[in-house]
Amino acid sequence: MSVSAGGFSGRPAEIPAIYVPVRESDMVFTVIAETFGFLGSVTVVFLYFYLFYQVIYTAIQTNNKGNLYLAIVWVFGLLFQIVENIGASIGLLPLTGIPLPFLSQGGTSLIILGCGLGMILGFKKSQ
């Protein structure tokens, strides 16, 4: 309901926000979809896929199969979290408590994602 309230370019200011429990953590995608609409939602998904592209491209540049395998595992782990969270936000999947990477208020998840991204940034140094 909250996702569809955003329309194409976001909810107008005169329309009150729809109550969504746990807006800052598990359901942050509904806030983005309601506030910025379809355009904001597509932008978030596009930025995730651009991150995937950059990670895989960096791993390919190193010419090391181990780096490539590690990058692919990291990307697919991230992709699983994104699909699970967005699917739960729009009502296709059950709520599981998996945070939306880099956007939700998950502390442990953010630490692990930062460590993984740090390893991938270290690929550039090994060239």
Side-chain angles (χ1 to χ4, degrees):
M1 177 76 158
S2 177
V3 175
S4 64
F8 185 72
S9 62
R11 177 183 48 83
E14 60 270 1
I15 298 175
I18 296 173
Y19 173 73
V20 176
V22 210
R23 293 175 73 99
E24 65 278 352
S25 60
D26 291 346
M27 303 299 280
V28 73
F29 189 76
T30 60
V31 175
I32 293 168
E34 182 181 5
T35 306
F36 301 107
F38 177 74
L39 293 177
S41 302
V42 169
T43 302
V44 167
V45 173
F46 172 76
L47 288 173
Y48 277 125
F49 279 105
Y50 183 70
L51 174 68
F52 296 161
Y53 167 75
Q54 289 295 321
V55 167
I56 298 296
Y57 182 75
T58 301
I60 288 172
Q61 291 286 320
T62 63
N63 290 328
N64 185 343
K65 283 187 179 181
N67 290 349
L68 181 61
Y69 294 153
L70 186 64
I72 288 173
V73 166
W74 189 80
V75 163
F76 275 103
L78 207 64
L79 184 65
F80 171 75
Q81 287 182 349
I82 292 166
V83 167
E84 177 67 32
N85 188 286
I86 292 176
S89 294
I90 61 177
L92 292 177
L93 297 172
L95 289 172
T96 57
I98 294 177
L100 190 62
F102 300 114
L103 294 177
S104 291
Q105 188 189 4
T108 307
S109 174
L110 192 58
I111 290 171
I112 298 301
L113 287 172
C115 290
L117 198 57
M119 285 190 306
I120 291 167
L121 286 172
F123 294 168
K124 280 231 185 250
K125 204 156 190 95
S126 67
Q127 288 182 3

